[in-house]
Amino acid sequence: MSYILSLDEGTTSARAALYNREARRIALASVPTVSHFPHPGWVEQDAAQIWASQMQAVRNTLGLAGFGPNDVRAIGITNQRETTVVWDKATGVPVAPAIVWQCRRTAARCRELVAHATKITRKSGLVVDAYFSGTKIEWILDKVDGARAKAANGDLLFGNIDTWLIWNLTGGRVHVTDPTNASRTMLFNLGAGDWDDELLALLNVPRAMLPKVVPSSAIVGYTDAAVFGAEVPIAGIAGDQQAALAGQACFAKGMSKNTYGTGCFALLHAGDKEPISENRLLATRAASVTAEAQFAVEGSIFVAGAAVQWLRDKVGLIESAPETEAIANSIPNTGGVYVVPAFVGLGAPHWDAEARAEITGLTLGSGKAEIVRATLESMAYQTRELIAAMEADSGARLAELRVDGGAAANNFLMQFQADILDRPVVRPADPETTALGAAFLAGLATGYWKSLGEVQSFWRAERTFEPAMAASTRDTLWSGWQRAVGKARTA
Ligand code: ADP
């Protein structure tokens, strides 16, 4: 018997999941990772701790299943994107803490780079933002003594978390990344599929420190037996959101998924043509199972489930996230109350960093239920904004939206999403779509699964939420949301 092992290194935990031939998950273990906040707006992690947590998760998962390293047929890797590690090639020791995707330390540098925004967007598909890896690498090279010269010699290596894990798994022999991760650096030419010399020069990043870009679904190296306990092919790589798109079996143009976690990430598969967004979405790579490039359009909402956490931890309106479902269902509507959760500004399609959260439309009749319900509804309204922008970009109407993430468990939210979007919302049987997507990529590359068709047949819906709201109600609610967002916006 042999199994596919997924390594899913997220922002808050490192997870490992084991899949059988029917793509059923037979074991999963999760080990927390620690973030540090040394200054306001800064977020760091210890790359050595990430590696140790990931290996602990692997041991726990194999232990739970009663298996060992020799039972693993292939490994797929998926990871928090954009998080930046720079390490010494000779010693394997990071020269600085990992700078996490959420970290805003390079925001001022990004304001300077806005002068080059048109070029950067045309080449990389991204908006200029501290979120991406490029300015984080530049920051480390600027601040660590002697780093720039060593990097130019190839004595320092850069990697996102996929690259860092693979380098360690292979005993320092393989330094690679895949197009989905590379496309989040602001250094990668999205259309050409390689690092872009002009962007490298703009950000002062030497090519010698960058990993080789390899396909998302291919054998890219073997684990070192001294590290992993067996020599196992590493055969799948994708950043978390693109892995979730694959795990939702969205491999064809026009298919889309939305993940409702801390934030929301909606991705629309764009096929083999590089998309250009006219509506302030990001163009990015989708995980391809062939040598051919595949693209996606992405919209990110910074605060989604995090607004529910805010109700719980800061306002004390609720004790746990799941109870919001019954509270929302206890009233027929919010009576005109809207929560605009712009706690850290607004992401796509507004990109308004200075906007702040608001509750609007309160009357003396508004209470806890209205505010809780309006908070849930805000995730659905924001998602409709993303989907509307995607449809405007692509000129095609979405057939359905596949959903995952912690808050997708909320049936009220999913029904409201279907209603406000006027599209079916489909929740899969296996909610761990990120790990599953990485497993699909590794299983296809090694012949464990024979075809995309076979992999697609594994995907099963658990529940479909059909739109059931009258068009006039939908239009009234939507206009109210647009007015509320208009009030929160600064530009
Ligand atoms: P992440 O991967 O971003 O850490 P998860 O996918 O685990 O997030 O989802 C957790 C988020 O979802 C939290 O912000 C939490 O408030 C929210 N959440 C979890 N369960 C529910 C629920 N039943 N209803 C509404 N929100 C929920």
Side-chain angles (χ1 to χ4, degrees), residues 12 259-263 305-306 308-309 321-322 324-325 376 379 405-407 409-410 413:
T12 54
T259 300
Y260 301 78
T262 305
V308 175
Q309 280 169 271
T324 57
E325 182 174 332
L376 294 178
M379 295 191 226
N410 190 305
L413 171 60

Side-chain angles (χ1 to χ4, degrees), residues 316-333:
L317 268 191
I318 55 169
E319 277 174 16
S320 75
E323 74 188 57
T324 57
E325 182 174 332
I327 296 172
N329 277 324
S330 71
I331 49 172
N333 56 59

Side-chain angles (χ1 to χ4, degrees), residues 237-488:
I237 315 173
D240 53 10
Q241 299 307 324
Q242 287 96 335
L245 190 68
Q248 289 274 24
C250 296
F251 290 105
K253 184 175 173 176
M255 298 183 80
S256 67
K257 70 90 197 174
N258 192 25
T259 300
Y260 301 78
T262 305
C264 261
F265 294 90
L267 266 74
L268 171 70
H269 202 292
D272 57 8
K273 295 239 165 16
E274 184 182 349
I276 295 169
S277 179
E278 306 287 345
N279 293 284
R280 313 188 79 195
L281 300 171
L282 305 177
T284 197
R285 285 294 190 102
S288 176
V289 298
T290 66
E292 185 189 61
Q294 297 282 302
F295 298 88
V297 177
E298 176 171 327
S300 341
I301 298 165
F302 298 140
V303 171
V308 175
Q309 280 169 271
W310 176 77
L311 289 181
R312 186 191 63 195
D313 301 339
K314 294 286 180 195
V315 195
L317 268 191
I318 55 169
E319 277 174 16
S320 75
E323 74 188 57
T324 57
E325 182 174 332
I327 296 172
N329 277 324
S330 71
I331 49 172
N333 56 59
T334 67
V337 175
Y338 289 89
V339 171
V340 182
F343 295 93
V344 294
L346 288 166
H350 306 288
W351 298 106
D352 185 342
E354 311 307 325
R356 286 298 173 264
E358 289 189 355
I359 304 178
T360 67
L362 291 170
T363 68
L364 287 174
S366 316
K368 166 175 155 174
E370 283 74 14
I371 293 172
V372 167
R373 182 171 168 134
T375 302
L376 294 178
E377 290 183 353
S378 73
M379 295 191 226
Y381 290 123
Q382 293 184 98
T383 298
R384 176 166 163 177
E385 291 180 331
L386 297 182
I387 302 297
M390 284 175 177
E391 290 185 336
D393 273 346
S394 71
R397 189 181 150 89
L398 207 71
E400 62 175 32
L401 182 66
R402 296 185 174 187
V403 297
D404 51 53
N410 190 305
N411 293 321
F412 163 79
L413 171 60
M414 294 299 103
Q415 183 57 51
F416 189 79
Q417 184 69 81
D419 287 342
I420 212 68
L421 209 51
D422 195 23
R423 259 15 94 72
V425 164
V426 188
R427 193 165 62 194
D430 185 348
E432 296 286 338
T433 55
T434 308
L436 183 61
F440 282 166
L441 297 173
L444 282 167
T446 49
Y448 188 78
W449 294 308
K450 302 289 178 238
S451 67
L452 206 50
E454 183 183 8
V455 158
Q456 278 164 322
S457 76
F458 295 138
W459 186 90
R460 264 177 228 92
E462 177 255 332
R463 184 162 167 190
T464 299
F465 298 83
E466 296 287 350
M469 184 179 274
S472 57
T473 311
R474 177 166 48 248
D475 293 347
T476 307
L477 291 173
W478 180 239
S479 310
W481 167 260
Q482 289 175 303
R483 273 196 303 280
V485 171
K487 281 186 205 158

